[in-house]
Amino acid sequence: MTNPSTPAIRFDQVSRYFGEVKAVDHVDLEIRDGEFFSMLGPSGSGKTTCLRMIAGFDKPTSGHIHLYGQDVSNLPPYERDVNTVFQDYALFPHMNVGDNIAYGLMIRKVPKSERTKRVNEMLELVKLSGYAGRKPSQLSGGQRQRVALARALINHPKVLLLDEPLGALDLKLRQQMQVELKSIQKRVGITFIFVTHDQEEALTMSDRIAVFNEGKIEQVGTPAEIYERPASTFVAGFVGTSNLIVGELAKRITGSDQTFSVRPEKIHLRAVGDKIDGNMISVDGVVRDVVYLGLYTRYLVQIDEGNDLVVIEQNLKTTSMDVLSVRGQKVRLQWHKDHISRVGG
Ligand code: ATP
């Protein structure tokens, strides 16, 4: 039995260099048992390299990787209790769904009756009961992805690695699969490590997120921590839209010339002259641009002290005519004092 406080994965100063390229650079990280953990970052930031090192497809140049307390840095993939789901599914085209899912059990010579029972359980888990006899070519993209998931879970690995598994699906299916994947993870209780460059996906699904940039982790936290309290200007910019407040404006509002952030949906658009509530921060400016997006409108406001702030307001009562008429007008922006945070603080 493993101690429940032992992390599922621990990175201890892990680096992976490819010649001059520091794909992963002195990363420390702990992923907890049973967690839905996402590695989020732009292309080339080192996420996949981290995943491949956990799987054993690649080895650190230096540092150590522990899996439930055991140093696996030099173990081959088949000696690690880890499975991977790839974006391209990697199903065997000549085998039917049932045999694809049972593959890992066949290799381990599990008797047929046991295999059939477990395949049926997996088909039920991924909502594909009745599809065992189909070939992968007779399935939709979403269904193929479920088969890949069932195949990866049938051996009950301790950790499941998912490398952009929803990347090939269209938006609607992707959103549906996000919800299902999360619910499957809850049911099986296995640690999921999910690689994505899609910040919305990471925010929707994860218990915690690590934000990667140039081979380093900029921040690890819950979706709310990452979103509400970004630890760096990179995180503030990469996760959602953020307004950075610097220079004169920062000084006037906070008394400090450090960098602060406020999210666009926290800012209210008011008429100049609207009274100023003591709990609110208030700045005046001119609306430079308005984009009507149906559900909400995005305003770009140039502040008198020189910053540009993006404001997002829901179109609860307004029409496109109302909102577009604001362009060029002077406005007052207000937001609650709790909604401004020092970047990195
Ligand atoms: P993506 O979202 O595009 O998959 P990523 O964040 O997963 O990106 P990695 O694939 O980990 O990024 O790559 C990190 C860096 O390491 C990149 O600059 C990449 O070009 C480089 N790299 C990765 N694998 C190799 C390799 N086998 N040989 C040389 N350079 C590599």
Side-chain angles (χ1 to χ4, degrees):
M1 280 297 285
T2 41
N3 182 337
S5 64
T6 306
I9 300 288
R10 188 156 70 86
F11 273 40
D12 192 0
Q13 287 290 295
V14 171
S15 296
R16 176 63 170 112
Y17 298 163
F18 297 100
E20 296 285 290
V21 178
K22 295 181 174 179
V24 176
D25 193 13
H26 292 93
V27 164
D28 284 321
L29 174 67
E30 282 195 2
I31 299 175
R32 297 172 193 144
D33 178 38
E35 197 166 36
F36 197 118
F37 190 92
S38 291
M39 294 180 172
L40 171 69
S43 182
S45 57
K47 312 167 307 272
T48 301
T49 304
C50 283
L51 209 68
R52 288 173 52 79
M53 289 192 289
I54 297 172
F57 302 137
D58 201 353
K59 280 185 189 168
T61 309
S62 61
H64 294 273
I65 297 175
H66 295 259
L67 176 65
Y68 287 92
Q70 183 195 6
D71 188 342
V72 295
S73 313
N74 289 307
L75 283 187
Y78 55 84
E79 284 183 29
R80 304 179 185 203
D81 207 350
V82 166
N83 244 336
T84 310
V85 179
F86 299 98
Q87 180 180 337
D88 61 6
Y89 320 127
L91 299 178
F92 302 116
H94 58 284
M95 285 188 192
N96 67 26
V97 166
D99 289 345
N100 260 289
I101 297 175
Y103 186 75
L105 301 182
M106 280 197 285
I107 298 269
R108 285 167 50 198
K109 302 207 164 33
V110 173
K112 185 151 194 335
S113 59
E114 169 76 8
R115 284 201 316 252
T116 309
K117 180 173 151 273
R118 280 170 61 182
V119 166
N120 286 336
E121 280 169 13
M122 283 298 131
L123 284 169
E124 198 200 325
L125 180 73
V126 299
K127 298 197 186 148
L128 282 180
S129 298
Y131 284 72
R134 290 220 197 168
K135 288 276 170 57
S137 60
Q138 296 169 313
L139 300 176
S140 69
Q143 289 167 336
R144 268 181 245 167
Q145 191 52 274
R146 286 164 210 247
V147 176
L149 188 64
R151 189 178 59 175
L153 285 171
I154 198 160
N155 281 338
H156 300 299
K158 277 190 173 150
V159 174
L160 188 71
L161 308 174
L162 303 109
D163 193 359
E164 304 252 2
L166 311 181
L169 307 178
D170 67 46
L171 182 65
K172 221 165 177 184
L173 190 56
R174 198 178 167 123
Q175 288 171 338
Q176 188 191 334
M177 282 297 288
Q178 288 168 5
V179 176
E180 277 189 34
L181 206 54
K182 177 86 188 162
S183 107
I184 287 171
Q185 190 263 342
K186 272 205 177 131
R187 277 175 69 185
V188 295
I190 289 172
T191 308
F192 275 31
I193 306 178
F194 187 89
V195 161
T196 182
H197 62 263
D198 181 332
Q199 41 105 5
E200 199 179 304
E201 190 159 275
L203 291 174
T204 315
M205 302 173 74
S206 319
D207 294 315
R208 288 191 310 148
I209 300 169
V211 183
F212 280 72
N213 180 29
E214 297 186 344
K216 291 186 186 292
I217 293 180
E218 297 254 341
Q219 186 172 8
V220 178
T222 62
E225 283 164 356
I226 299 271
Y227 190 78
E228 305 283 347
R229 304 258 167 236
S232 64
T233 50
F234 175 81
V235 176
F238 189 72
V239 183
T241 310
S242 197
N243 291 301
L244 292 181
I245 293 178
V246 294
E248 280 303 304
L249 184 61
K251 226 177 208 163
R252 205 248 305 156
I253 293 174
T254 68
S256 152
D257 59 2
Q258 288 174 300
T259 303
F260 295 82
S261 78
V262 57
R263 296 288 182 185
E265 70 277 13
K266 301 288 199 265
I267 306 179
H268 305 289
L269 201 66
R270 303 268 184 259
V272 174
D274 250 29
K275 81 171 176 11
I276 300 172
D277 175 335
N279 289 320
M280 304 291 276
I281 290 166
S282 187
V283 297
D284 291 349
V286 174
V287 178
R288 287 284 168 229
D289 198 15
V290 183
V291 183
Y292 179 77
L293 294 160
L295 201 60
Y296 56 86
T297 299
R298 195 169 58 220
Y299 304 86
L300 181 69
V301 180
Q302 189 179 3
I303 302 305
D304 296 348
E305 282 100 332
N307 286 221
D308 281 345
L309 297 185
V310 175
V311 180
I312 289 175
E313 288 221 315
Q314 260 189 291
N315 295 325
L316 294 176
K317 292 182 188 140
T318 43
T319 65
S320 63
M321 297 277 278
D322 298 334
V323 298
L324 291 171
S325 68
V326 182
R327 189 177 281 144
Q329 288 191 13
K330 277 200 79 109
V331 287
R332 175 158 292 170
L333 303 183
Q334 297 194 329
W335 65 91
H336 198 277
K337 283 181 172 157
D338 290 350
H339 292 148
I340 184 166
S341 64
R342 185 162 69 81
V343 174

